[in-house]
Amino acid sequence: MSGPYPVRGSVSLPEAELMWRFSRSSGPGGQHVNTSDSQVELRFDLARTEALPPVWKQRALERLASRLVDGVVTVRSSEHRSQWRNRETAAVRLAALLAEATAPPPKPRRATRIPRGINERRLREKKQRSDTKRGRNGRGWG
């Protein structure tokens, strides 16, 4: 999986703006793990990118502020033994992170009134239940 990575709609991350770094990964792999650089670190300069619309970029910068270092977001992947699969995982993770960060805010909740009939029915049923339970307490039986 190479080339532009889709974020949302027709917007995608160009391969040229992604910075890859590889290092040795801990975990399973036997002797092979000592010689291969399978851990992947993917860096994307969010502050300087032209790939995202300005509104999305501003939204992402605000929402990912705690993850950014000098305007760069970093995603690391080392769960697979192969570097290629870790590259795929990191790219998908970055695209998902940006999709979530650039999503429009939810519409504000509109307060609604409970219809009077429904409220009265609820209170009537509550009263019936109360009377049923009150009738079970054995007082007046003896």
Side-chain angles (χ1 to χ4, degrees):
M1 180 178 166
S2 64
Y5 299 97
V7 175
R8 207 160 24 94
S10 62
V11 177
S12 57
L13 301 176
E15 184 71 44
E17 292 190 20
L18 302 178
M19 295 166 277
W20 300 91
R21 210 171 94 199
F22 308 101
S23 58
R24 299 222 170 105
S25 179
S26 63
Q31 293 172 334
H32 173 70
V33 81
N34 300 327
T35 58
S36 65
D37 293 339
S38 62
Q39 177 172 291
V40 173
E41 185 177 283
L42 175 58
R43 297 165 55 94
F44 179 68
D45 196 342
L46 188 58
R48 292 186 187 86
T49 187
E50 296 298 322
L52 299 176
V55 176
W56 287 19
K57 187 171 155 181
Q58 192 58 42
R59 214 179 279 157
L61 284 169
E62 289 168 10
R63 290 182 183 169
L64 297 175
S66 62
R67 285 193 66 148
L68 297 176
V69 177
D70 297 329
V72 177
V73 65
T74 305
V75 175
R76 190 174 280 134
S77 175
S78 63
E79 56 260 18
H80 302 292
R81 288 186 186 191
S82 88
Q83 184 188 98
W84 185 77
R85 285 181 66 193
N86 280 331
R87 279 180 71 130
E88 268 188 347
T89 306
V92 168
R93 226 183 260 165
L94 177 66
L97 182 73
L98 288 174
E100 190 179 321
T102 58
K107 289 181 180 165
R109 184 185 174 280
R110 230 176 60 210
T112 56
R113 272 189 58 232
I114 299 171
R116 192 173 64 188
I118 291 177
N119 205 26
E120 286 174 356
R121 186 179 71 202
R122 180 182 64 85
L123 293 173
R124 192 170 52 248
E125 287 171 359
K126 233 173 134 165
K127 182 77 174 140
Q128 278 178 334
R129 187 85 179 129
S130 167
D131 292 343
T132 303
K133 287 189 171 191
R134 195 177 307 121
R136 290 181 186 155
N137 72 359
R139 269 191 270 146
W141 278 68

